[in-house]
Amino acid sequence: MMKCVTKRRNINGAAISAPERINLNKLIRNQTEFSLSLAKQVSLSESKDSNLVFSPPLIHVVLSLIAAGSKGPTQAQLLSLLNSGSTDDLNSLSSHLVSHFFPDGSPIGGPKLSFTNGVWVDRSLSLKPPFKQVVDTVYKAALNHVDFQTKAVEVTNEVNQWVEKETNGLIKEVLPSGSVDASTGLIFANALYFKGAWTAKFDASKSKDQDFHLLNGSSVQVPFMTSKKKQLVTAFDGFKVLKLPYKQGEDKRRFSMYFFLPNAKDGLSALMEKVSSESGFLDRNLPYQRVTVGEFRIPKFKFSFGFEASKVLKGLGLVLPFSKCGGLTEMVDSPFVGQELYVLSIFHKSFIEVNEEGTEAAAASAAVLRHVSRRLSIPLMIDFVADHPFLFVIREDMTGAVLFIGQVLNPLMG
């Protein structure tokens, strides 16, 4: 008698077996745990007094690619930080994200999405065949041979122009001036663009300026959006969560933006600690039921944020890829140069705008490698007034994969 193997469709409709699905869900959970611990570290070290937005999967993909080209203690340290058992797992997750999670949804009525990877390698070097296969087939990265030794400035401009094009003009310069020089051997870069329209758009004529309370005790007047429609809101112990879904396409992907609002006006840091330290926090603390809202206000905001991710990653204990005995021996064919390859810097820039229509967001990363709670009962009516600092997350709900994480301390801050 033939055995039947039950298969479910993935988010784009292709068959996926139950074991593959279970493994993929586990890999995405691991990625989310990394994303939230990274968000806490970025908040503490890079944006104590500023708005913050970044795209964890971009940094995750860069680190996964570096892990694929490393071995020994360096690879072990990368796998530990990324909560992964092997580079095969990282490659499997990255391959799925590139092929199924990030395709553009706008032709079928969903959000506009674009995700691209690129590799720039000095013309004196060649990628080792196994690493090149990973770059080509898993990450689908465009490979560019360039002359770092005499044209470092031109290559910097080329990477920045590539990023600007891939982010629809929102990210202008991911590589700062002087970050690339004659000793550069490789650059890994990636770019993400997202534009989604709310399922229920806000009426712009109802938006009004009101007080937003800052952490220093003062307040500023900012434009707030409002609506009388029922909302996906739930109150938890010490905070509330609002879900604003984006218009979905004909595939199974479901993108939403979540607002995590602490009850206390100065409660953001405590909420960030809770979000990043409790395993499975996001999945356990999401609203699933529409309720009538009393007072309901969300601020409009638009800002960009950039940071040197390598500094933050070192703060999380990732140090070996940045040492001059970097262990990145599996990337390039020249044994002499390969032994001296190490990560000099990882840069990341993001942009987000939230208004009555929806959300537009973009992010880019570039790595330069050099030689040498419990749910409470739902009340009949609930207020959700985001008039003080809050956390936000944009994610895909079928898989739980996070696209962007951020915090708003002052909606007027650019």
Side-chain angles (χ1 to χ4, degrees):
M1 185 176 174
M2 285 181 64
K3 285 186 178 179
C4 291
V5 179
T6 303
K7 291 199 171 188
R8 190 179 288 179
R9 302 274 151 184
N10 69 19
I11 52 180
N12 277 334
I16 182 169
S17 67
E20 286 173 327
R21 188 176 67 254
I22 291 166
N23 187 50
L24 177 64
N25 290 343
K26 178 173 179 284
L27 296 178
I28 289 175
R29 278 198 305 274
N30 291 344
Q31 187 191 51
T32 301
E33 300 289 328
F34 162 75
S35 301
L36 295 173
S37 65
L38 185 58
K40 176 189 168 185
Q41 190 72 14
V42 174
S43 177
L44 287 173
S45 64
E46 302 295 317
S47 66
K48 291 177 184 172
D49 303 312
S50 70
N51 296 335
L52 155 69
V53 62
F54 75 105
S55 180
L58 267 63
I59 296 172
H60 193 280
V61 162
V62 166
L63 294 178
S64 298
L65 195 52
I66 293 170
S70 64
K71 68 177 185 180
T74 297
Q75 187 182 84
Q77 199 172 78
L78 282 156
L79 292 175
S80 174
L81 177 70
L82 298 174
N83 304 317
S84 184
S86 68
T87 55
D88 285 345
D89 279 350
L90 292 177
N91 290 344
S92 174
L93 175 59
S94 296
S95 177
H96 184 87
L97 291 178
V98 171
S99 301
H100 303 298
F101 180 69
F102 284 125
D104 185 14
S106 58
I108 53 171
K112 181 168 180 55
L113 259 177
S114 167
F115 175 73
T116 44
N117 289 310
V119 176
W120 287 258
V121 60
D122 190 75
R123 65 185 184 183
S124 67
L125 306 174
S126 58
L127 300 185
K128 287 187 174 182
F131 185 67
K132 185 176 186 304
Q133 185 176 10
V134 169
V135 167
D136 290 343
T137 60
V138 174
Y139 295 88
K140 294 181 169 54
L143 182 60
N144 306 275
H145 289 276
V146 293
D147 181 2
F148 287 116
Q149 294 177 37
T150 64
K151 295 183 176 177
V153 172
E154 289 88 339
V155 178
T156 304
N157 292 337
E158 182 183 323
V159 175
N160 284 335
Q161 286 165 12
W162 178 84
V163 162
E164 185 171 354
K165 176 176 172 286
E166 297 297 332
T167 59
N168 216 30
L170 296 180
I171 308 294
K172 304 289 187 194
E173 186 183 274
V174 70
L175 289 175
S177 176
S179 58
V180 177
D181 60 25
S183 66
T184 300
L186 281 168
I187 291 175
F188 302 139
N190 53 21
L192 171 63
Y193 176 78
F194 173 88
K195 188 169 186 178
W198 305 128
T199 302
K201 294 181 181 180
F202 291 86
D203 181 348
S205 70
K206 299 279 186 2
S207 296
K208 289 181 188 170
D209 284 1
Q210 302 215 40
D211 281 343
F212 185 94
H213 303 277
L214 307 180
L215 291 175
N216 64 10
S218 66
S219 62
V220 290
Q221 287 269 304
V222 306
F224 280 86
M225 308 179 291
T226 189
S227 172
K228 295 295 183 189
K229 295 175 181 173
K230 287 188 173 184
Q231 300 293 334
L232 288 154
V233 183
T234 301
F236 297 92
D237 187 11
F239 63 98
K240 295 173 185 174
V241 184
L242 164 71
K243 172 182 177 178
L244 290 182
Y246 295 105
K247 188 179 174 185
Q248 66 191 50
E250 293 167 15
D251 60 14
K252 294 188 175 180
R253 290 178 295 175
R254 303 287 183 270
F255 293 95
S256 301
M257 185 168 187
Y258 293 88
F259 296 78
F260 292 81
L261 179 69
N263 292 350
K265 287 190 167 47
D266 61 353
L268 180 60
S269 61
L271 179 57
M272 179 70 85
E273 179 66 35
K274 190 188 288 267
V275 169
S276 61
S277 61
E278 294 183 12
S279 181
F281 178 92
L282 282 188
D283 289 330
R284 288 197 316 276
N285 293 282
L286 298 178
Y288 295 100
Q289 185 175 332
R290 289 191 181 275
V291 298
T292 302
V293 287
E295 274 196 278
F296 178 63
R297 297 198 303 273
I298 305 294
K300 294 166 62 172
F301 54 89
K302 178 169 100 171
F303 61 85
S304 57
F305 178 78
F307 67 105
E308 194 172 329
S310 28
K311 290 181 181 176
V312 177
L313 293 166
K314 288 172 189 174
L316 288 171
L318 185 69
V319 294
L320 292 179
F322 304 102
S323 69
K324 293 195 178 180
C325 303
L328 310 183
T329 56
E330 308 307 299
M331 292 184 182
V332 295
D333 250 336
S334 167
F336 176 71
V337 175
Q339 287 162 10
E340 296 183 353
L341 204 63
Y342 68 100
V343 180
L344 178 65
S345 300
I346 300 175
F347 302 99
H348 187 86
K349 269 195 169 182
S350 295
F351 168 93
I352 188 164
E353 178 174 11
V354 170
N355 59 27
E356 291 88 356
E357 299 293 312
T359 303
E360 184 175 34
S365 293
V368 179
L369 281 70
R370 179 174 275 184
H371 307 327
V372 135
S373 145
R374 302 186 323 271
R375 182 168 303 157
L376 304 180
S377 59
I378 298 172
L380 294 176
M381 183 179 285
I382 191 167
D383 293 335
F384 193 91
V385 181
D387 66 352
H388 54 277
F390 58 86
L391 180 72
F392 65 82
V393 171
I394 297 176
R395 74 169 210 159
E396 197 284 310
D397 292 322
M398 296 291 287
T399 59
V402 171
L403 276 78
F404 292 91
I405 295 177
Q407 66 185 23
V408 176
L409 302 188
N410 180 350
L412 298 183
M413 203 179 285

